[in-house]
Amino acid sequence: MRRTLKALISLYPKTWRNRYKNEFEALLDDVSPTWRTLFDVFGGALKMQMKIWSPWKIVAACAAAGLLAAIAFSLLTPDRYVSHAVLKIENGGADEVNAGAEKILSRHSLVQLINKEDLYKSERTRMPIEDLVEEMKNHDIIIRPGAPGEFVVSFAAPDAARAQRTTQWLAAAFVDANVGTLLDPANLPISPNGPRRSRIIVLGMVAGILAGVLFALFNGLKVWKLAAGLGIAGAVLCAAISYGVPDSYMSTAVVRYDGGDAARMQQLIHAVTNDASLYAMVVDFGLYLNDPRAQSKLREHIRIQTSQNAKVVMIQFEYADRYTAQKVTQQIVQRLIDESLKTDSGMKLEMLQAAGLPLTPYFPYRPKIAGYGLFVGLACAVLLGVRRHYKTPLPVVAAR
Amino acid sequence: MTRNNDPALLVLASLADGDKHGYAMMEDIERFSGAKLGPGTLYGAITRLEENGWIAPVPPEDRRQPYTLTALGRKSLESELAAILNVAKTALKRLKHA
């Protein structure tokens, strides 16, 4: 450890080492090397470096440290794949599902499942099985209501196949217990649901920049007071602007189709979103009053996404009034169902998720906008600081 | 005003009774204040004090570098201690009358 301790001297600035290296080495020979001493010498080197660094260098170093820490954290956090199965409630309602879930999620049956699917391999070496069962029940298995008369069983695992197999096992257990019948079998998740690495990395970098600015600020460097001011001003300004932007709510419905192909579904969507149909909706719901572009605006705010493999269609509509957003979404779904019944194509549409009443605005997401403002303010200050740094003439050293 | 566990103040206090090198300062400080200064912290304070002209190196006998309190350092230490003493006296007086 003494060698490591001495090696840390190289982390001190060169000018400092030229003056103090020999005597500092002599002191390190005298002290007993401990972890505390090691951290103290490392901290001393860091402080001494910070003393000679320019503010923008401190911010850059902190940003890099934040970035590296965030990358390491995001890489160490395992992927999380979520598989879903949809079941129709066989008898009774939610109480029946809850009673069934209680039996299926018993300690005995979950321990069996853990062993069968070899779940939580690394966790099993350091955690008691009771804790794992609780973790599984509370975090990884999700049983939630779906469309009317249906419920969804999900399981999250670090690999997709295991997530699917476990969800299949859980769904089969509900079927065996006569709680539900399988409508949609457990899917094989293609991409992980988390962690959101790009978000973690950006957050890490922003946190690093903020820490750097604060550090520089507390070091009494005036230019970084400007940075804090600009950052706060950016956040406040953007938040204020975002309050001037009207709220917009999005309602979402999901339907599944059977007995037809994707091309047929596209025909139905086209029939529902043609000019005549949109005009009727504008008139019926009084959308975009007095706006000559009402029809094209309605088209812009309707989003219909189809998934060919799962034969699922997601219908979304965004509007300034939450109730209208829900009603229009319901109307689009109803028209799709009506269109499918009109023609004798054998296509059957089934509601998986009814159009919900959106409670919070979809846009603008104000904390995010304020965060962007803060970031832009800080970035401006950093640029300003760099510009000042290079424009400031070097002080003239008076001859002694 | 510096805190009474400020490493710089502790170093000045340690040098008040004579010249000392780093390790001797560490032991002395631990003895009279109970504070265990690490080598990094000690040399951070020494660097700062030398830059301010409050302490100065004296010719070494071996690899260990002793330091001495300068006249400016002595004056600063006296004013710091007077301020601390004033606070302590006032607080004690108030405690007695409370």
Side-chain angles (χ1 to χ4, degrees):
Chain A
M1 187 175 273
R2 198 179 293 280
R3 279 176 70 180
T4 318
L5 208 57
K6 282 192 176 178
L8 286 178
I9 299 177
S10 59
L11 295 179
Y12 278 81
K14 200 180 171 192
T15 46
W16 190 90
R17 275 184 280 140
N18 289 342
R19 163 67 186 83
Y20 295 101
K21 192 185 173 190
N22 290 339
E23 56 188 275
F24 196 54
E25 261 182 350
L27 175 64
L28 293 184
D29 282 334
D30 287 338
V31 298
S32 48
T34 60
W35 282 106
R36 191 172 169 266
T37 320
L38 204 79
F39 282 116
D40 185 73
V41 173
F42 179 73
L46 208 65
K47 277 181 197 163
M48 219 46 88
Q49 287 285 4
M50 293 274 198
K51 236 175 116 180
I52 58 159
W53 281 357
S54 59
W56 69 269
K57 206 171 171 183
I58 293 175
V59 175
C62 289
L67 187 73
L68 286 175
I71 289 173
F73 176 75
S74 72
L75 290 177
L76 287 172
T77 311
D79 283 337
R80 205 173 151 84
Y81 291 88
V82 182
S83 175
H84 310 276
V86 181
L87 291 106
K88 192 174 178 192
I89 301 171
E90 196 59 38
N91 302 306
D95 292 343
E96 190 76 17
V97 176
N98 288 340
E102 217 164 286
K103 280 182 201 162
I104 292 160
L105 304 183
S106 68
R107 183 192 176 278
H108 175 72
S109 93
L110 289 184
V111 169
Q112 256 187 334
L113 179 58
I114 288 171
N115 290 328
K116 183 178 166 277
E117 290 300 333
D118 199 16
L119 301 169
Y120 310 107
K121 207 171 179 176
S122 63
E123 287 90 339
R124 270 188 283 164
T125 58
R126 56 189 159 84
M127 276 170 82
I129 196 81
E130 277 72 22
D131 291 356
L132 279 178
V133 167
E134 281 306 304
E135 178 83 14
M136 188 180 189
K137 242 163 96 169
N138 296 327
H139 294 107
D140 298 336
I141 296 174
I142 295 165
I143 297 161
R144 60 177 170 84
E150 294 174 8
F151 67 101
V152 181
V153 178
S154 314
F155 183 72
D159 83 277
R162 206 159 270 160
Q164 185 189 33
R165 283 201 306 271
T166 309
T167 311
Q168 279 168 347
W169 187 94
L170 289 165
F174 276 102
V175 173
D176 290 347
N178 288 324
V179 176
T181 48
L182 194 62
L183 283 179
D184 201 2
N187 64 314
L188 181 69
I190 298 160
S191 54
N193 286 46
R196 292 179 178 171
R197 294 202 164 86
S198 54
R199 186 177 283 190
I200 293 172
I201 289 168
V202 170
L203 277 175
M205 200 173 76
V206 171
I209 291 173
L210 274 175
V213 168
L214 286 175
F215 185 83
L217 186 70
F218 284 111
N219 262 1
L221 298 157
K222 279 180 186 168
V223 69
W224 299 105
K225 285 184 182 168
L226 179 73
L230 276 176
I232 294 166
V236 171
L237 187 73
C238 285
I241 291 171
S242 76
Y243 275 99
V245 177
D247 285 345
S248 166
Y249 296 87
M250 185 179 272
S251 177
T252 304
V254 182
V255 291
R256 196 185 42 220
Y257 60 95
D258 264 328
D261 56 5
R264 177 71 196 125
M265 191 65 224
Q266 285 301 330
Q267 281 176 357
L268 287 185
I269 292 169
H270 183 72
V272 169
T273 55
N274 64 22
D275 287 347
S277 181
L278 291 183
Y279 179 75
M281 276 194 267
V282 168
V283 174
D284 287 350
F285 295 100
L287 304 171
Y288 313 104
L289 286 173
N290 304 325
D291 192 331
R293 289 182 60 245
Q295 221 166 299
S296 56
K297 271 194 169 175
L298 175 59
R299 192 185 295 281
E300 280 168 25
H301 291 144
I302 294 174
R303 285 182 211 167
I304 301 179
Q305 288 176 306
T306 56
S307 156
Q308 289 185 8
N309 294 338
K311 291 199 163 185
V312 164
V313 183
M314 185 165 76
I315 301 109
Q316 292 179 309
F317 177 63
E318 189 188 332
Y319 197 66
D321 173 60
R322 68 178 83 183
Y323 299 100
T324 310
Q326 186 190 28
K327 279 180 198 162
V328 172
T329 313
Q330 282 169 343
Q331 178 69 14
I332 298 168
V333 173
Q334 192 54 51
R335 285 187 184 203
L336 272 175
I337 293 168
D338 291 347
E339 278 295 324
S340 72
L341 294 172
K342 250 188 219 173
T343 50
D344 194 19
S345 59
M347 186 179 256
K348 195 183 158 202
L349 263 69
E350 191 181 24
M351 184 87 78
L352 286 183
Q353 183 190 317
L357 180 70
L359 297 175
T360 51
Y362 168 75
F363 183 83
Y365 185 51
R366 295 192 170 93
K368 200 175 182 179
I369 291 172
Y372 284 143
L374 178 75
F375 190 73
V376 169
L378 289 178
C380 288
V382 169
L383 288 176
L384 218 69
V386 173
R387 192 166 161 265
R388 269 192 196 182
H389 177 77
Y390 285 109
K391 279 191 84 176
T392 309
L394 289 170
V396 180
V397 180
R400 292 189 180 185
Chain B
M1 195 183 85
T2 52
R3 290 168 298 141
N4 59 2
N5 60 350
D6 176 50
L9 182 68
L10 294 174
V11 169
L12 289 177
S14 175
L15 294 179
D17 68 343
D19 304 349
K20 285 183 194 72
H21 55 72
Y23 189 66
M25 276 187 242
M26 281 168 76
E27 288 200 314
D28 182 45
I29 288 168
E30 192 179 349
R31 217 171 15 247
F32 75 77
S33 74
K36 277 186 176 181
L37 290 193
T41 310
L42 178 77
Y43 261 80
I46 288 176
T47 310
R48 194 146 49 96
L49 292 170
E50 199 190 346
E51 277 170 3
N52 289 345
W54 292 2
I55 61 170
V58 289
E61 286 170 9
D62 53 11
R63 285 171 66 221
R64 294 161 168 178
Q65 174 63 61
Y67 285 88
T68 188
L69 203 60
T70 62
L72 185 64
R74 187 168 294 275
K75 208 174 157 189
S76 302
L77 179 63
E78 278 168 2
S79 69
E80 283 295 336
L81 294 179
I84 293 170
L85 199 65
N86 189 31
V87 172
K89 273 184 181 170
T90 311
L92 283 170
K93 203 185 283 176
R94 286 180 184 176
L95 277 172
K96 272 182 194 168
H97 288 95

